[in-house]
Structure formats: structure tokens, C-alpha cells
Amino acid sequence: MKKTWRNLTAQAELISSKRTIDLFDDNRLEQLSVSSNGIFIDFSKNKLNSSIVDDLVALAKECELSKAINAMFAGETINCTEQRAVMHFLLRAENSDLPEWKEVFEQRQKAIEFAQKIRNENLLGATGKVIDTIVNIGIGGSDLGPRLVIDAFKHHVPKVLNIHFMSDVDYSESAQLLDSINLETTLFILCSKSFTTWETQTNAQLAISALKEKVGEAGWQRHFAGVAVDQQAMTDFGIIPEHQFLIWDWVGGRYSVWSSIGLVARIALGNDIFDRFLAGAREMDQHFQQTPFEQNLPVLLAMVQIWNINFMNHSVFITLPYRHGLRLFPDYQQQLEMESNGKSVDTNGDIMAYHTCPYIFGQLGLNAQHAFMQLVHQSTHNTYLEFIAVPEKAVPFEDDVAFRSCLAQSSALMKGTLDIDSGAKHCPGDRPSTTLVLDEMSPETLGGLVALYEHKVFVQSVIWGINAFDQFGVELGKQIAKSLTKESTDNTAIDGSTRELIRRFGH
Ligand code: F6P
């Protein structure tokens, strides 16, 4: 065990019997907050003090975090199980010495021109009509990122453009969507890094069948674009070269919104807004690389969460954005964090003796308050929370329902009802939380926020000794799904429950 880890364990024992509210003095917020890139982070409502933060920073140093950061930005093969570099930062770079940069730049230019062509109403379908409807077919990282960005800035989508997403496979839903749009003016973007994802391929085939009926056997190709690593697979599928967009195996699906996986967002919001989103992330990359750990947003956010998980023993983490434009952020964050660090084997292949990524859930803060927050205030379980607020500039503080409520929640959760004789009204308090306050809801801040969490995940993976960039657990479910057929009811390798469910309900 690392020396600093032992120190932190001792610090945890000392502080656990205290109440966080009692740790406050006039300087606490000043000492336990950090601000940069339009994001202010308040750690003061966590059960910790400056000396614990110093030790957390020391732990990061002891784990050679700087070396790991440099290795990632140098394009080294840090995805050790799949023997790949991890270079999503390159997708938002302005320039780079890395050899991959040239292709990144070319593909970005291609996406920029394609998006502009559609926005200029110059892309025509097979029957000569202008394309005005885009359907993104993708799932996981090929869906959540573009969905988040478009939803955040949906007021900027021109009224003439209709944007839809197909991710889930539900035959009646798909039929309804395909019936409700004008296929002659629709472009489907088959967004799939691997180009083999079952759900995505199934939805693509449904779209192609519908298109063939409407625009003829060959015409469907004018209505399809593709984003994938394997160019040949796109060609074999029938996607015409001008509609093919490349990504690379060094981009994890959940880190890919910055690439042509974000094409639908480029089209919907325009190149300017999408490039500003990239710029915000790029600035966060610079901050992450250049700022001492004591002031480094991703490092501190990661380390304070590690404190809550590994030393304060919280295994549930709730994320609550208090701005409508961020309502999809919890979905995005769930994949980013849980698919990256939801692991129990370290990079040496050893089973870990400590907890890693917690269960994460969340939704819009105001909605959560009227749904599940009762449990958070009064249940027997303790929980760690992150609040993300964007104060309204258009109204005075008194009318800023979201921001006021956000502050009220974190305060109530920390203080509880100090009177333990309050019976059914008793709230134990001492629920730790971190509050992030964004300057504004701009493409730059959203880019910075997403990159902040990407880097937070990376920092945690280094401390826990995880490869954050594979996802073999997901693969296991996929393999089994493929093996389940009507015939498999005789296959004794499949468990009895599953076989019987297929026999009874599989049509
Ligand atoms: O859920 C597993 C996963 O591989 C994710 O990592 C990825 O974002 C998603 O499936 C979709 O994959 P693809 O882009 O290859 O279709």
C-alpha cells in the first residue's frame, strides 16, 4: 500500500466522527475551491480539510500522474489491453506534431464542408429534393455525445432542419419514426466506430428497407452517410465515398463526440457552434496539462471523489445538473465514467482490493428533488453528490429557481436537521457534495465540462491502476446475445433460466 494511502486512511479515521458543518471557518470556501476555464468548483461541503487535499495531491504525485498525462498527450500506447494510443484530445486540437494529426484535420475539413452543404440546402436526395432531415443511427458513444450537445443548444437548430436519433431497437418505435419523416428529404448517418454494433446495424437495415420502397433500389445510397474506423466496411455496406467519414481505433467510443461521430451536431448547430465546443475542450486539455495539481480542476475533482469512495466508503454517486440544457449530461457521464472505470482488475491483471468507479445516476436537479431526493435526504444509505449549476443571468438571484434550489439542496444535505428529536422529520445531514458553477451555458463551457470529466476519469484510472479505455464487460453480454437462438433451448451450455425463457417467450 502506498504511504500516502495509509496517511489518508488515518486522516479518514480522525475526521469521520466530525460533522462537515462544524469544519467551517471563514476561510474554508477559499481554501477548498478552485476556478478556471469558466468553471468554479466548491469542495467545501465534503468531509475533508486542506491537509487531506494536500495528501490527495501527494497521492496523485506518488502514482506518477504527471508521467501518465504526458504519456497520453504524447500518443503512447496507454490502452495496454488493446495495444492502442488514446488521443481524443487530438480531435479538438488546432495543430499537432503527432503523425495522426493530418488525417484528423482532413476528416474535420470534410465534416465541415458536408455540414455546410446540408445547411446551405445543397445536398439532394435521390429524387432531387433538398435534404432537411437527419437521423443519427448509433448507440452508446455514437449517440449520447451528439445528443447531449444538440440538446444543450437546441434553440440554435434552424427551423428548417429536423433532427432525430435511432439508438434503441424497438420495431414499432422505428416504424413510427420512419413513417413520420419524409424519406425523400432524409439523410441517415450510420454512426458506429466498429460498424458491427447489432442494434445500430439492425436500425440501419430498417431504414434501408423503408428507403428502398420510397426512392428505389439504388436510391437509398444518396440517403446514407457513415462514420467508422473501417473504410472498406463502409464501402461494402454501400456508403458512397463522399459520405464516408473516418475515425480511428485510438478514439474510445465514449470519447468520440469531438470526431465525425459528432457530425449530426455539426449539421444541426452549424460549424461555428461545434468548433466553439471543441475550443472549450481544447482549453481544458491545456489546463489539465499545464496547471499544478493543487489548482488543477480534473485532478482535484478526481481526487476528492476518490476520497469519498475509497476513504469515506461511498459507493453511490449522484450527479445533478441544474440547467435544462444539461439534462442529458447524467446519461453521458454514466457511460463515460462507468464504462471506463467500472472495473475490478488492474492493469497487471490482478483483482483489486479497493473500490473503483461508483454507481452513478442522476437527472435534472429540480426534477430529482421531486422524485428521488427524499431518499438522499433521509435514507439509511449515505451518498456522494455533484451539483452542476449555471446561474441565470437574465433574472435576479431571488428569481433563479434552479440556482437557489441547487444551493438549498447541498446546504440541507450537509446540515440536515440538527435537532435529532425531530422524529419523522429528522434528516441526518452530513451528505457530502461538490458544487460546480459554470459561468454560462456556452458551447465553450460545455466543451470544457465534458473534457473536465474525461480527464477526471483518466486521473482516477491512474490512481486505481485501471485501463480506462477498454470495456470487456460489455463484450461478454454481446457474445451471449449472439448465441441465443430458438435452437439454443437444447444447448446445455446456456443456463436453465435463460433456456426456459427462450422456450416460453421467444417467438
Ligand atoms: O457499449 C459498448 C460500446 O462499444 C461503446 O463503447 C460504444 O460507444 C458503443 O458500444 C457503440 O459502439 P459503435 O460505435 O462501435 O457502434
Side-chain angles (χ1 to χ4, degrees):
M1 191 193 278
K2 296 221 164 5
K3 179 172 160 278
T4 324
W5 192 281
R6 277 199 304 274
N7 290 350
L8 283 161
T9 309
Q11 298 247 43
E13 269 169 35
L14 281 177
I15 208 165
S16 9
S17 57
K18 302 196 170 130
R19 287 181 66 85
T20 306
I21 186 72
D22 297 332
L23 301 174
F24 271 78
D25 59 23
D26 289 350
N27 299 325
R28 185 168 169 84
L29 179 80
E30 206 48 55
Q31 285 171 351
L32 296 174
S33 63
V34 61
S35 173
S36 186
N37 298 48
I39 302 177
F40 180 89
I41 311 185
D42 170 14
F43 297 110
S44 67
K45 291 189 178 98
N46 289 283
K47 189 173 286 193
L48 42 68
N49 54 32
S50 305
S51 144
I52 289 169
V53 175
D54 291 347
D55 274 354
L56 288 167
V57 167
L59 177 63
K61 290 180 181 164
E62 210 175 323
C63 294
E64 301 192 316
L65 178 59
S66 294
K67 203 167 144 196
I69 296 172
N70 292 340
M72 178 169 76
F73 282 95
E76 287 177 24
T77 311
I78 62 168
N79 176 351
C80 51
T81 50
E82 296 176 312
Q83 289 302 306
R84 292 173 184 168
V86 174
M87 296 190 287
H88 43 274
F89 59 87
L90 201 56
L91 302 167
R92 54 232 188 186
E94 261 183 324
N95 208 339
S96 169
D97 294 334
L98 289 168
E100 291 80 2
W101 166 246
K102 187 170 168 287
E103 260 197 80
V104 170
F105 180 75
E106 283 167 6
Q107 289 298 315
R108 191 190 295 164
Q109 285 309 115
K110 187 172 178 180
I112 288 173
E113 282 160 29
F114 192 67
Q116 200 52 51
K117 191 170 177 180
I118 294 176
R119 288 175 67 89
N120 290 346
E121 303 183 7
N122 283 335
L123 188 72
L124 305 183
T127 56
K129 294 196 175 147
V130 172
I131 296 295
D132 63 6
T133 301
I134 313 292
V135 180
N136 191 76
I137 307 179
I139 198 163
S142 298
D143 169 74
L144 294 166
R147 233 187 240 263
L148 164 72
V149 184
I150 294 175
D151 196 67
F153 302 108
K154 53 180 176 295
H155 331 282
H156 293 276
V157 180
K159 290 214 164 33
V160 289
L161 272 181
N162 309 299
I163 308 292
H164 301 278
F165 288 86
M166 270 175 113
S167 57
D168 184 33
V169 181
D170 178 310
Y171 290 91
S172 62
E173 278 288 320
S174 303
Q176 233 171 34
L177 173 67
L178 295 170
D179 269 357
S180 70
I181 56 179
N182 181 357
L183 291 167
E184 284 183 86
T185 63
T186 299
L187 177 80
F188 293 88
I189 305 179
L190 205 179
C191 227
S192 178
K193 177 185 166 185
S194 62
F195 220 67
T196 58
T197 302
W198 195 14
E199 298 86 340
T200 303
Q201 290 292 331
T202 304
N203 277 329
Q205 290 308 329
L206 293 175
I208 290 174
S209 305
L211 276 170
K212 281 184 175 169
E213 269 183 38
K214 191 77 183 173
V215 299
E217 272 300 306
W220 73 270
Q221 290 178 298
R222 303 244 42 107
H223 295 265
F224 250 78
V227 188
V229 170
D230 186 346
Q231 190 163 17
Q232 189 57 48
M234 288 196 272
T235 305
D236 295 346
F237 187 93
I239 292 177
I240 57 176
E242 310 91 85
H243 291 189
Q244 294 178 359
F245 297 87
L246 287 178
I247 58 165
W248 303 272
D249 63 8
W250 47 259
V251 191
R254 52 196 172 272
Y255 299 87
S256 65
V257 60
W258 325 99
S259 69
S260 293
I261 292 288
L263 182 61
V264 63
R266 253 194 198 286
I267 297 168
L269 301 171
N271 287 312
D272 177 49
I273 291 186
F274 195 78
D275 287 337
R276 287 172 56 199
F277 170 66
L278 299 192
R282 180 163 68 241
E283 279 165 25
M284 186 56 73
D285 293 339
Q286 285 155 8
H287 168 87
F288 182 47
Q289 281 181 282
Q290 294 163 7
T291 312
F293 291 171
E294 291 76 4
Q295 297 298 320
N296 194 307
L297 267 54
V299 173
L300 292 174
L301 194 61
M303 297 311 295
V304 169
Q305 195 184 28
I306 283 189
W307 169 253
N308 281 307
I309 297 165
N310 298 114
F311 301 96
M312 295 279 107
N313 303 319
H314 296 303
S315 50
V316 177
F317 165 42
I318 300 179
T319 180
L320 298 173
Y322 277 78
R323 178 54 83 101
H324 196 78
L326 294 176
R327 70 185 165 147
L328 299 183
F329 192 69
D331 294 3
Y332 184 86
Q333 200 183 343
Q334 280 170 348
Q335 188 203 14
L336 176 64
E337 300 214 19
M338 294 201 272
E339 199 167 78
S340 296
N341 285 341
K343 316 264 169 78
S344 53
V345 177
D346 68 17
T347 44
N348 298 320
D350 295 327
I351 303 281
M352 292 170 207
Y354 43 85
H355 282 304
T356 60
C357 184
Y359 288 92
I360 302 175
F361 73 99
Q363 65 155 291
L364 269 181
L366 289 177
N367 289 347
Q369 283 173 215
H370 296 278
F372 58 75
M373 286 303 286
Q374 157 61 31
L375 179 145
V376 184
H377 284 284
Q378 281 198 302
S379 93
T380 51
H381 302 282
N382 204 345
T383 309
Y384 165 61
L385 301 97
E386 264 171 28
F387 293 88
I388 307 177
V390 193
E392 271 290 356
K393 293 213 167 79
V395 297
F397 174 68
E398 285 69 23
D399 294 335
D400 192 345
V401 178
F403 188 40
R404 278 178 69 181
S405 303
C406 172
L407 298 181
Q409 285 295 309
S410 60
S411 174
L413 286 164
M414 175 172 66
K415 287 162 81 176
T417 48
L418 295 174
D419 169 14
I420 49 161
D421 294 329
S422 46
K425 293 184 181 162
H426 175 63
C427 295
D430 239 8
R431 309 306 204 206
S433 71
T434 294
T435 302
L436 289 82
V437 184
L438 312 191
D439 271 359
E440 57 182 358
M441 191 62 206
S442 68
E444 288 87 350
T445 15
L446 182 65
L449 184 74
V450 175
L452 164 65
Y453 276 89
E454 285 182 349
H455 294 322
K456 169 197 137 169
V457 165
F458 177 60
V459 171
Q460 293 183 329
S461 75
V462 173
I463 309 301
W464 288 324
I466 288 175
N467 174 15
F469 305 104
D470 60 19
Q471 59 282 319
F472 292 112
V474 183
E475 301 308 320
L476 178 62
K478 284 186 194 171
Q479 282 161 19
I480 295 181
K482 289 276 178 194
S483 73
L484 301 182
T485 60
K486 268 307 248 182
E487 288 71 50
S488 58
T489 44
D490 298 330
N491 182 351
T492 46
I494 294 171
D495 68 82
S497 154
T498 307
R499 266 187 289 138
E500 193 53 24
L501 289 171
I502 298 172
R503 201 184 60 73
R504 289 192 195 188
F505 302 110
H507 295 291

